């Protein structure tokens, strides 16, 4: 017996995580590059201090005030509105996803997604002993709806995971794709539309929240880590039928959201307009980056997120390393031959463009 007595299927596996390196330009984990204002920081600090005075007591395990404010925020994206009974939250959307797999996956059950997709999805399935099946996207990273429907009908999954915009490609799903897969899955499973990057979608691209009133098996997840500039906060949340939220309560750990997390998230929501105030600028920076990369003759995926997938490289690692040596960190992820760059400030994007031009000149 080898110590420690780890599950056999976990032996030799490297833990998930992007490189954390101290470089001048960090464009690898899709953060909002703009931090909070002094007023927002002061409100967060005061809220955390008030919560600290209560730390001898357990927090509100139903986080009622936070669910009320999240419901109010989400209601802006759907004419039907969202009520607090439809909202659940956890420590980052990662925990939200894991709880969904704990509740609706498990031994004898299947989770389906469509590659390339978020690399944590198969890990959620593995950690919950859920069978994992990955279909494939089209050449332009869109979904072939006929093939997707056929796969769902064949595999009969209890969970379908659909990131929109997709990570790592940035591809958004049209409402009809969500509708088709909700209908194909039926009430034997749940369809999870992961909108971690939803606030960055282009004008006219709707949120799947609009379909919640039609499909009770639909779950829409969001996070405060991206557009909300709250990556260090670790607050993810979802909207769904209240029965789905009740099911998650069965598997959630007791008092899983600390008093400090709840207080800081509420303070951030009070400053939502400010924290989201740079989203339009980041969209414009993204679109300019797509145009520039295409002008340099790269293949570039259409993006509704705050990152861009581009290629194709015979040796993408060499390009990644060359950028790193010039002080620019991006992400080596996605299909072979492609790289992903987060959208940063204008100065950061100028540094990226200069470094990439230099790397290519050297390799040529």
């Amino acid at each position: 017996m080898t110590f420690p007595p780890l599950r056999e299927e976990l032996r030799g596996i490297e833990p998930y995580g992007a490189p954390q390196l101290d470089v001048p330009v960090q464009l690898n984990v899709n953060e909002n590059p703009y931090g909070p204002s002094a007023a927002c920081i002061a409100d967060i600090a005061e809220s955390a201090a008030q919560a600290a005075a209560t730390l001898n007591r357990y927090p509100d395990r139903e986080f009622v005030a936070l669910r009320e404010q999240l419901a109010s925020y989400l209601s802006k994206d759907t004419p039907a509105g969202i009520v607090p009974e439809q909202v659940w939250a956890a420590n980052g959307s990662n925990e939200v996803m894991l709880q969904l797999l704990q509740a609706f996956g498990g031994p004898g059950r299947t989770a389906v997604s469509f590659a390339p997709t978020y690399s944590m999805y198969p890990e959620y399935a593995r950690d919950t002993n859920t069978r994992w099946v990955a279909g494939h996207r089209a050449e332009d990273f869109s979904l072939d709806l006929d093939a997707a429907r056929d796969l769902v009908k064949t595999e009969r999954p209890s969970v379908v995971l659909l990131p929109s915009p997709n990570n790592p490609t940035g591809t958004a799903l049209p409402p009809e794709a969500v509708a088709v897969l909700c209908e194909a899955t039926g009430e034997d499973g749940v369809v999870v539309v992961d909108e971690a990057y939803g606030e960055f979608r282009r004008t006219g691209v709707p949120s799947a929240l609009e379909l919640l009133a039609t499909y009770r098996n639909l779950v829409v997840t969001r996070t405060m880590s991206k557009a909300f500039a709250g990556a260090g906060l670790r607050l993810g949340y979802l909207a769904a039928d209240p029965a789905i939220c009740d099911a998650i309560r069965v598997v959630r750990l007791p008092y899983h959201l600390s008093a400090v997390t709840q207080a800081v998230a509420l303070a951030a929501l009070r400053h939502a307009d400010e924290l989201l105030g740079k989203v339009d600028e980041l969209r414009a920076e993204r679109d300019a980056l797509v145009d520039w990369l295409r002008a340099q003759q790269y293949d570039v995926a259409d993006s509704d997120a705050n990152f861009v997938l581009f290629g194709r490289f015979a040796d993408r690692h060499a390009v990644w390393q060359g950028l790193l040596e010039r002080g620019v960190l991006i992400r080596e992820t996605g299909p072979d031959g492609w790289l992903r760059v987060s959208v940063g400030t204008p100065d950061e994007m100028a540094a990226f463009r200069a470094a990439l031009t230099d790397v290519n000149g050297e390799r040529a």
Side-chain angles (χ1 to χ4, degrees), residues 52-348:
T54 71
L55 291 183
N56 58 311
R57 303 294 184 184
Y58 287 112
D60 175 8
R61 70 168 172 258
E62 287 296 313
F63 46 98
V64 174
L66 180 55
R67 286 193 291 116
E68 289 173 349
Q69 293 307 307
L70 289 170
S72 176
Y73 170 68
L74 289 173
S75 292
K76 299 173 184 177
D77 272 343
T78 171
I82 301 293
V83 297
E85 291 77 14
Q86 291 178 277
V87 175
W88 185 254
N91 294 285
S93 57
N94 300 107
E95 186 177 40
V96 169
M97 290 290 181
L98 184 62
Q99 289 174 337
L100 286 165
L101 268 292
Q102 288 173 318
F104 302 109
R109 295 190 169 202
T110 298
V112 161
S113 192
F114 300 89
T117 192
Y118 183 37
S119 56
M120 277 297 295
Y121 291 163
E123 296 196 21
Y124 303 142
R126 179 201 69 200
D127 293 347
T128 56
N129 288 302
T130 305
R131 178 172 169 261
W132 173 252
V133 174
H136 295 284
R137 291 174 176 264
E139 183 71 16
D140 64 355
F141 304 125
S142 64
L143 276 187
D144 179 331
L145 283 187
D146 290 334
R149 182 198 295 112
D150 290 346
L151 182 66
V152 166
K153 287 186 172 294
T154 298
E155 298 294 343
R156 301 185 61 81
S158 58
V159 181
V160 178
L161 297 169
L162 300 172
S164 180
N166 184 41
N167 183 7
T169 67
T171 317
L173 284 175
E176 55 268 25
V178 178
V180 163
L181 294 179
C182 282
E183 291 169 4
T185 303
E187 295 196 359
D188 291 335
V190 294
V191 174
V192 182
V193 178
D194 179 355
E195 290 190 347
Y197 301 94
E199 287 91 348
F200 293 106
R201 64 191 186 277
R202 287 172 288 184
T203 301
V205 177
S207 167
L209 289 167
E210 295 184 11
L211 298 174
L212 278 177
T214 304
Y215 299 104
R216 63 185 302 200
N217 64 338
L218 175 62
V219 179
V220 181
T221 65
R222 291 278 183 95
T223 182
M224 296 185 78
S225 294
K226 305 302 180 183
F228 251 100
L233 171 57
R234 306 308 299 135
L235 197 289
Y237 54 103
L238 63 76
D241 188 280
I244 289 177
C245 296
D246 285 342
I248 297 172
R249 286 180 170 89
V250 176
V251 300
R252 64 105 173 95
L253 295 174
Y255 308 106
H256 69 292
L257 280 182
S258 76
V260 174
T261 296
Q262 293 181 45
V264 172
L266 282 166
L269 284 162
R270 288 193 291 273
H271 295 265
D273 289 345
E274 173 210 318
L275 292 173
L276 297 168
K278 294 290 188 178
V279 166
D280 285 345
E281 291 181 30
L282 290 167
R283 287 190 190 120
E285 197 70 51
R286 171 200 63 206
D287 294 341
L289 175 61
V290 168
D291 290 343
W292 182 82
L293 287 168
R294 286 176 174 161
Q296 309 308 305
Q297 306 304 309
Y298 292 107
D299 291 335
V300 185
D302 290 335
S303 179
D304 278 279
N306 67 332
F307 57 82
V308 174
L309 188 75
F310 68 105
R312 307 181 182 181
F313 301 99
D315 185 352
R316 71 173 179 180
H317 181 74
V319 177
W320 178 89
Q321 185 65 43
L323 291 170
L324 182 62
E325 290 168 359
R326 290 161 176 80
V328 178
L329 177 62
I330 67 170
R331 191 73 182 270
E332 189 175 2
T333 190
D336 288 343
W338 296 75
L339 292 166
R340 192 193 72 195
V341 57
S342 305
V343 177
T345 66
D347 286 348
E348 289 172 332

